């Protein structure tokens, strides 16, 4: 499985960038600590080959893509649009139910990925609530943060929720260790299992940049300390991970299972 980190990529712009594209690309390269490579009239494969790297982050003021082997991977709202629309109609969302989210809650989403679950949490907790999404991959955090802030759609409820998610590039073990006891109402995990890869449209970016590490029992203990109410963990059928950590199952379907642990 190919995985990209900051060491494997260069940052560039589209051909004929405007001043804003260049400025943003330079800023982003500096922030993540990656070399900026002026695009000129070159193809991405020429640039990456010349720098002996395997992929490029192509930055414009409208979007950011990871480009490798002739493919472009970008931010996508995944299922968050359909889920927001369903919630608006009064239908139930399994994450919202499992986490018992209500207006004003604070949610620490430890596994941001494309941010779809974080957006649903942000919609559920509303303007009075708070959602922070942690992502260990600096590249993914950057692309998703930019995507959540700049994505355009006629559905304002989706955009409002997207804009309220604070994406932070930090490992959850480190973050949880630093956080105060009972400082968030709910802490969530959606670890990346092998089976996640083919689950949904847009997961490729997560597949290419994300980490498939699972939260250790110590991390779960820390999460229970930080959560004032509960820790919610998403698993895949047949819930083996939930069984391993002893999390009672609160929702299951053919594919996705949720477990919930009380705060400690
Ligand atoms: C399956 S994805 C989550 C998908 C997400 N729920 C969504 O709606 O798009 C898991 C994400 O957790 C991230 N991750 C894995 N280990 C992490 C860690 N120790 N700290 C922070 N993020 C981590 C991965 O890089 C990956 O992006």
């Amino acid at each position: 499985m190919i995985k990209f980190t900051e060491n494997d990529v260069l940052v560039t712009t589209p051909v004929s960038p405007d001043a804003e594209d260049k400025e943003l690309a330079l800023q982003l390269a500096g922030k993540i600590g990656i070399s900026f490579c002026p695009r000129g009239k070159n193809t991405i494969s020429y640039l990456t080959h010349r720098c002996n790297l395997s992929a490029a982050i192509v930055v414009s003021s409208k979007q950011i893509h990871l480009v490798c082997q002739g493919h472009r991977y970008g931010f996508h709202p995944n299922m968050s649009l359909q889920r927001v629309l369903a919630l608006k109609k009064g239908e139930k969302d399994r994450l919202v139910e499992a986490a018992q989210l209500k207006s004003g809650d604070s949610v620490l989403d430890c596994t941001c990925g494309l941010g779809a679950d974080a957006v649903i949490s942000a919609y559920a907790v509303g303007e009075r609530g708070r959602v922070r999404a942690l992502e260990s991959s600096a590249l993914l955090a950057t692309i998703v943060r930019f995507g959540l802030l700049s994505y355009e759609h006629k559905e304002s409820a989706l955009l409002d929720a997207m804009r309220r998610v604070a994406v932070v590039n930090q490992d959850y073990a480190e973050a949880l260790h630093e956080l105060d006891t009972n400082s968030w109402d709910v802490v969530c995990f959606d670890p990346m299992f092998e089976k996640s890869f083919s689950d949904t449209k847009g997961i490729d970016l997560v597949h290419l940049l994300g980490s498939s590490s699972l939260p250790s029992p110590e991390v779960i203990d820390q999460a229970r300390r930080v959560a004032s109410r509960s820790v919610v963990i998403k698993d895949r059928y047949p819930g083996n991970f939930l069984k391993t950590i002893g999390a009672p199952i609160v929702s299951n379907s053919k594919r996705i299972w949720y477990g919930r642990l009380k705060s400690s």
Side-chain angles (χ1 to χ4, degrees), residues 67-177:
V67 179
C68 64
Q69 295 172 352
H71 295 283
R72 263 173 21 135
Y73 303 92
F75 170 80
H76 187 279
N78 221 1
M79 290 300 290
S80 57
L81 171 62
Q82 289 86 335
R83 290 169 70 188
V84 164
L85 292 175
L87 282 166
K88 265 183 82 176
K89 278 198 261 169
E91 292 170 18
K92 293 193 187 322
D93 181 275
R94 293 186 52 216
L95 169 65
V96 176
E97 297 294 300
Q100 300 172 309
L101 296 181
K102 58 182 186 326
S103 168
D105 281 348
S106 60
V107 178
L108 179 69
D109 182 330
C110 287
T111 48
C112 178
L114 285 177
D117 284 332
V119 169
I120 294 308
S121 295
Y123 177 83
V125 303
E127 279 175 18
R128 296 193 308 113
R130 190 163 58 109
V131 177
R132 183 184 298 169
L134 305 175
E135 175 51 56
S136 56
S137 158
L139 295 177
L140 187 56
T142 302
I143 295 173
V144 172
R145 185 185 299 115
F146 186 84
L148 290 173
L149 290 175
S150 60
Y151 190 76
E152 286 302 341
H153 195 276
K154 64 177 189 314
E155 182 51 62
S156 61
L158 174 74
L159 299 190
D160 290 347
M162 282 181 162
R163 309 299 193 244
R164 288 199 300 269
V165 175
V167 178
V168 176
N169 170 216
Q170 193 177 20
D171 186 286
Y172 50 60
E174 185 191 303
L176 288 166
H177 184 73

